[in-house]
Amino acid sequence: KEGSWIRIILKNEGIDPSMIHNIIFVNYGKRKDVALKANEVGPDSDFIPKNHPDFIAASPLALPGETVTFEFKAPAKDNYEFFCSYPGHADMMKGYLFVK
């Protein structure tokens, strides 16, 4: 529900050192725009463009074998997208968040 707290537990069960992941929440229809900006901000920012106007929330990067937990307040009632912003992952690792 709008305004409620959302807790995400991201468990990276990968073993390949190149399989680094995160999860980033953005306004609906803006995944590709934010993913491009994520590549620009690079690894020093965990591939998270926090200053992008469509950014909502994101986890830190999870290396293979790591688990990261983060919380954020649900935005206004609407539909949103989430994806992994690590380079090359955004087109396959994606989904939707529906806030009531």
Side-chain angles (χ1 to χ4, degrees), residues 10 21-23 46 48 58-62 68-70:
L10 176 62
H21 302 294
N22 68 2
I23 186 169
D46 284 348
I48 300 170
S59 75
L61 291 173
V68 296
T69 302
F70 78 105

Side-chain angles (χ1 to χ4, degrees), residues 6-88:
I6 298 172
R7 176 180 288 167
I8 302 293
I9 302 169
L10 176 62
K11 186 174 183 180
N12 186 345
E13 295 181 340
I15 55 173
D16 184 331
S18 67
M19 287 293 107
I20 300 169
H21 302 294
N22 68 2
I23 186 169
I24 181 168
F25 292 83
V26 300
N27 288 321
Y28 186 82
K30 300 299 182 177
R31 177 181 53 85
K32 289 184 179 184
D33 294 341
V34 178
L36 287 173
K37 191 64 174 175
N39 286 335
E40 290 177 21
V41 299
D44 290 342
S45 297
D46 284 348
F47 301 100
I48 300 170
K50 293 181 181 177
N51 292 328
H52 193 286
D54 292 300
F55 170 82
I56 295 169
S59 75
L61 291 173
L63 300 174
E66 286 186 330
T67 298
V68 296
T69 302
F70 78 105
E71 295 180 334
F72 65 100
K73 270 197 168 184
K77 180 180 175 180
D78 208 343
N79 299 331
Y80 300 89
E81 293 184 81
F82 64 85
F83 64 97
C84 177
S85 68
Y86 192 78

